[in-house]
Amino acid sequence: MSTPPADPGRILVVGRSPGVLVATVDILRTKGYTADATNQFDRVLDDYDVAGLDVLVFGGMVPADTKQYLREEVSRRNPRVSIVQGLAGIAGVIAAQVEAAGAEQRDDPAGVEIAYDEARRCVQLVLKEPAHVTVEALWATSFTPPEPRSTSMQVFDGALGAGFHVVPLPDQVPSEASYATVAVGDLVRVFTVGAMPDAVTRMAPRSADDTRLPEVDRVTTTGDDH
């Protein structure tokens, strides 16, 4: 989607779905990030050097009490860490959120404005200078745990001149569990097109003892091996 800076940082994704975690790590590493992921919630502080993290991402199915504990403990050890709540179990969305978090730590390019018009279902851009722009739509196709499924489509990829531009989303992008990612050079933004259904968000465990979801294969990536 975009080209990260020379040292984009260290990323840890804490989630549940093995497939989504591995796919997210693959995307981030391809983009130059030092990225790992785990679904072993009780091992995060032992298995990873959280003091060296730049971005910590939580998946939606991490138990609420576990998430709160890790958020507080990692922030205590590493006050500069950016903590991101994943919007969906979609690897491309999570990776784009990481890119967006990195972009927020830098000054936005002067004269660049990116917005999403919910009523008209379109991305709106204001460019002071010509720039390469990509717009991608991603959405869930199955919510069945432990492996949610998704798909995506490239909506726009090309150069745009200075001025105001509108990029409409195609009708095939559904009105629920759908997202749009926009990149203007290194600047990345992620927008919710249609929120996750309540039935899905209610599946999230309330505590570490909550066993409502099925068991999953263990994922604990380290370095380049996963």
Side-chain angles (χ1 to χ4, degrees):
M1 187 189 324
S2 65
T3 301
D7 183 14
R10 301 184 64 85
I11 316 300
L12 178 62
V13 183
V14 180
R16 190 170 185 281
S17 166
V20 173
L21 291 174
V22 171
T24 302
V25 167
D26 285 344
I27 294 172
L28 290 171
R29 288 180 179 175
T30 298
K31 292 176 177 292
Y33 292 87
T34 301
D36 281 304
T38 183
N39 57 13
Q40 302 302 295
F41 307 141
D42 60 340
R43 296 288 308 170
V44 170
L45 301 177
D46 296 316
D47 292 342
Y48 298 98
D49 176 18
V50 297
L53 291 178
D54 293 286
V55 180
L56 172 64
V57 184
F58 287 117
M61 295 301 157
V62 179
D65 58 351
T66 300
K67 189 184 307 180
Q68 182 64 26
Y69 171 71
L70 289 175
R71 179 187 296 270
E72 293 175 356
E73 187 61 23
V74 173
S75 296
R76 183 184 68 80
R77 301 185 188 190
N78 181 1
R80 68 179 184 82
V81 69
S82 294
I83 298 179
V84 174
Q85 175 58 58
L87 292 172
I90 301 175
V93 172
I94 299 169
Q97 286 189 264
V98 169
E99 292 188 272
E104 288 175 358
Q105 296 173 356
R106 305 187 299 273
D107 292 335
D108 288 351
V112 175
E113 298 178 20
I114 306 173
Y116 176 69
D117 186 325
E118 183 176 354
R120 297 174 60 195
R121 280 175 49 101
C122 64
V123 173
Q124 299 179 339
L125 304 105
V126 177
L127 305 177
K128 183 178 180 180
E129 300 176 348
H132 188 91
V133 174
T134 60
V135 179
E136 184 178 17
L138 309 95
W139 62 94
T141 57
S142 171
F143 306 108
T144 304
E147 288 293 353
R149 304 295 179 186
S150 63
T151 190
S152 65
M153 69 177 297
Q154 190 143 280
V155 178
F156 182 84
D157 183 9
L160 291 177
F164 176 72
H165 303 275
V166 174
V167 181
L169 297 185
D171 291 340
Q172 68 193 82
V173 180
S175 58
E176 70 173 15
S178 52
Y179 306 86
T181 65
V182 185
V184 179
D186 292 339
L187 181 62
V188 179
R189 292 289 181 265
V190 182
F191 300 100
T192 297
V193 176
M196 277 287 176
D198 289 342
V200 176
T201 58
R202 285 197 297 267
M203 283 194 269
R206 298 174 183 174
S207 69
D209 297 327
D210 189 331
T211 59
R212 73 181 68 186
L213 295 175
E215 292 292 325
V216 296
D217 293 335
R218 173 175 175 168
V219 173
T220 304
T221 73
T222 55
D224 292 328
D225 298 323
H226 60 282

